[in-house]
């Protein structure tokens, strides 16, 4: 039986199972799973990066979780990739998958994105390139004033984040504060690429029910504009049907440029 309370924050170290999460949301990438959420996000991220205009030396991914899906489309366009997450469990899972003895190779994501690639290289080449470019997997707590706990990073050219901030922010006001914290790590003129759900309050990982922030399109845009960003593109998906695993009503992929 699921918990009566919604799980969040440190619950990701005790109740979040990366294998169940990946099996539930990433193994089958089509419209039958959560209204096609992951295919929409992956294709949307691919479309942002495929132009080549979003590029740079250093990329920071906020809240990678156990799956680096938000950085895979960016691999050809940056040189150094920094992954982050709150959960010790997720950081270890990522490390084992990318550099250790983990059996997870994220092949479903690479194979899905390969369908949209102009290059004829096998997905394993992109996987090897990702592993070569990842500089580390760091702790990140978006609810702290210093989200990296004292770790110093030079400013980044690109910041990505997907399915993270809505799980961390307890309300829209805090979401706006998180946007400003993240902005501090991006160069003026740098790129932010974010994917997330709208209007959701929970999602399940196995029997465990996790919190999601109910936030609207207008609120998302207002938060990022308030953090000094100019929105360049907004791709919206309206969910065609509901499921027992989550209650979000839509999703988006947004590209912004930091102006101040």
């Amino acid at each position: 039986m699921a918990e009566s309370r919604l799980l969040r924050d440190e619950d990701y170290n005790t109740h979040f199972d990366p294998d169940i999460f990946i099996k539930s949301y990433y193994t089958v990438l089509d419209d039958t799973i959560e209204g096609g959420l992951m295919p929409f996000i992956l294709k949307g991220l691919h479309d942002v990066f495929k132009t080549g205009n979003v590029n740079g030396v250093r990329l920071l991914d906020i809240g990678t979780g156990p799956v680096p899906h938000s950085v895979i489309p960016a691999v050809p366009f940056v040189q150094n990739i920094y992954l982050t997450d709150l959960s010790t469990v997720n950081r270890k899972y990522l490390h084992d998958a990318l550099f250790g003895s983990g059996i997870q190779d994220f092949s479903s994501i690479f194979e899905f994105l390969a369908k949209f690639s102009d290059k004829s290289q096998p997905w394993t080449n992109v996987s090897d390139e990702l592993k070569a470019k990842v500089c580390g997997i760091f702790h990140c707590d978006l609810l702290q004033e210093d989200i990296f706990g004292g770790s110093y990073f030079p400013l980044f050219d690109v910041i990505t984040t997907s399915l993270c901030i809505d799980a961390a922010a307890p309300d829209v006001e805090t979401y706006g504060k998180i946007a400003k914290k993240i902005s501090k790590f991006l160069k003026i003129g740098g790129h932010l690429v974010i994917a997330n759900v709208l209007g959701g309050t929970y999602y399940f990982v196995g029997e465990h029910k996790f919190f999601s922030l109910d936030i609207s399109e207008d609120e998302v845009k207002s938060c990022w504009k308030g953090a000094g960003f100019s929105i360049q593109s907004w791709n919206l998906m309206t969910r065609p049907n509901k499921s027992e695993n989550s209650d979000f009503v839509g999703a988006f992929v947004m590209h912004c440029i930091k102006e101040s």
Side-chain angles (χ1 to χ4, degrees), residues 18-32:
D19 283 317
I20 292 177
F21 177 70
I22 291 170
K23 182 179 180 180
S24 299
Y25 296 102
Y26 292 87
T27 302
V28 178
L29 294 174
D30 62 28
D31 291 345
T32 66

Side-chain angles (χ1 to χ4, degrees), residues 1 18 38 65 76 91 106 112 115 117 151 169 196 212 228 236 258:
M1 181 178 294
M38 287 316 306
R91 295 197 306 274
F106 311 115
F112 177 85
K115 297 187 295 184
S117 176
S151 297
N196 227 320
S212 181
L236 178 67
K258 181 178 176 180

Side-chain angles (χ1 to χ4, degrees), residues 55 154-159 182-192 227-230 256-260:
N55 60 73
L155 295 180
F156 289 87
D157 303 291
V158 181
I159 291 179
I182 291 173
S183 175
K184 295 177 182 178
F185 292 91
L186 188 64
K187 295 178 179 178
I188 298 292
H191 299 272
L192 170 77
F229 288 90
S230 171
C256 301
I257 290 178
K258 181 178 176 180
E259 292 189 334
S260 62

Side-chain angles (χ1 to χ4, degrees), residues 138-149:
F138 302 90
H139 178 263
C140 177
D141 186 345
L142 295 179
L143 298 182
Q144 299 301 313
E145 191 59 36
D146 183 350
I147 64 176
F148 294 120

